[in-house]
DNA sequence: TTGCAAGCTCAAGTCAGGTTTAGATCAAGC
DNA sequence: GCTTGATCTAAACCTGACTTGAGCTTGCAA
């Protein structure tokens, strides 16, 4: 542990490619924690570079910040995720990807049937009927309920 | 053409499973058009049931309302999309699905490599380096730039 | 004719994931 | 000691896709 083990927010930003404002935002959301200098400036551990990079990866895989926070909360605070942690987490993530691929393949099948018939029929079209189910889930913006990525998986999974 | 060829907003909502407020919203955005009754209430053509169902399907495939509006604008106004229209459009959509599946498969490959090594390394990790690129795209919420669904396709497509 | 569900408009609110701005303070080099 | 650049906080703003609410009108059936 050298004295340079603590880094400023600007360096963390530079190292991860994330904007300074985003890092503050992540801290506010509880995804990362910061120590403070005498003058009140944030000081991060080098380990936080990995934490932030994990956030970026998980985001790419479609997790919301809330879900990411939940994953990170399972790690010992302020510790770099080690190989075992990462294996567990990334195995979970892989299952998500598998589900999304499966759902898209199912969507493609349905679409192929649609291309064939050209009907866009409310009664018969598998694609439409999935949308219909989604719409009947109740109030609230469907977008926010996860219909962008998650919905397709769920509906296809439940046998449309 | 019976006299019941025109339907009220409530019926359109019921037939499509979309909230009345959402239909008004779509009209405001120019995705659909409404005639008006003597008293000023909206009256839709039955064909609009198909238009709305198309909106739902396209949304499931990740198109924004703006993109959907663009697709719909290419159709003759107030006409039911016919088989030829639908074939063209759905073939386009199929290409999108293919791209997304491909991108996810690539992501899965990278993740599998990661599971093996457990490094989460900034230098070596394919997943992380993609995130890094995304972060460097400039200002604005990455989420809104299409990184939720589109980004993965683009980055993987451009040869990672 | 009355009663009430369904419809109308317009403005404002919501949610995620941040960015931007303003005005003040800190840290470091010369 | 001074200047300059980095950082601080708090609040406002942004996009997309809607919903909610207030206050008022239509339309249809009994």
């Amino acid at each position: 542990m050298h004295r340079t083990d603590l880094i400023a927010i600007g360096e963390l930003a530079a190292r991860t490619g994330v904007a300074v404002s985003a890092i503050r935002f992540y801290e506010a959301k509880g995804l990362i924690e910061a120590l403070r200098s005498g003058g009140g400036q944030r000081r991060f551990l080098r380990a936080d570079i990995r934490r932030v990079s994990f956030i970026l990866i998980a985001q790419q895989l479609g997790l919301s910040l809330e879900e990411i926070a939940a994953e990170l909360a399972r790690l010992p605070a302020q510790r770099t995720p080690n190989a075992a942690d990462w294996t567990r987490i990334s195995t979970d993530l892989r299952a998500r990807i598998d589900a999304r691929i499966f759902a898209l393949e199912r969507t493609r099948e349905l679409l192929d049937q649609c291309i064939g018939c050209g009907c866009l029929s409310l009664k018969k079209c598998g694609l439409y009927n999935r949308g219909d189910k989604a719409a009947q889930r109740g109030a609230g913006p469907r977008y926010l309920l996860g219909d962008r990525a998650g919905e397709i998986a769920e509906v296809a999974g439940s046998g449309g």
Side-chain angles (χ1 to χ4, degrees), chain A:
Chain A
M1 313 245 180
H2 345 18
R3 44 195 161 0
T4 54
D5 255 6
L6 293 177
I7 60 180
I9 195 168
E11 187 176 350
L12 182 55
R15 295 300 199 115
T16 58
V18 165
V20 165
S21 61
I23 292 175
R24 290 200 193 101
F25 180 76
Y26 294 154
E27 191 204 1
K29 290 281 174 181
L31 288 144
I32 48 178
E33 276 177 47
L35 305 170
R36 295 291 176 144
S37 74
Q41 298 193 354
R42 290 173 184 80
R43 290 295 179 262
F44 295 91
L45 300 173
R46 290 203 171 272
D48 290 320
I49 297 176
R50 280 199 180 182
R51 283 204 154 223
V52 172
S53 72
F54 173 74
I55 294 171
L56 294 176
I57 291 171
Q59 275 191 307
Q60 292 236 343
L61 299 182
L63 279 75
S64 66
L65 289 188
E66 198 176 338
E67 292 171 304
I68 296 170
E71 281 295 345
L72 286 173
R74 297 167 64 188
L75 297 178
Q78 300 184 342
R79 197 196 77 203
T80 303
N82 66 17
D85 297 327
W86 175 235
T87 298
R88 179 181 54 70
I89 292 173
S90 55
T91 303
D92 285 358
L93 296 182
R94 190 185 199 289
R96 282 176 170 269
I97 296 180
D98 283 344
R100 279 169 64 181
I101 290 177
F102 175 80
L104 281 171
E105 284 170 347
R106 174 108 181 90
T107 299
R108 185 167 59 184
E109 268 175 44
L110 293 171
L111 185 60
D112 282 347
Q113 290 168 19
C114 263
I115 293 178
C117 78
C119 64
L120 207 64
S121 157
L122 300 186
K123 301 273 165 53
K124 293 183 290 182
C125 179
L127 283 171
Y128 171 70
N129 287 321
R130 297 182 349 163
D132 205 23
K133 272 184 203 161
Q136 284 168 6
R137 278 229 215 127
R142 277 193 305 285
Y143 170 71
L144 296 175
L145 295 174
D147 281 6
R148 207 65 173 278
E151 162 67 14
I152 299 179
E154 285 176 34
V155 177
S158 70

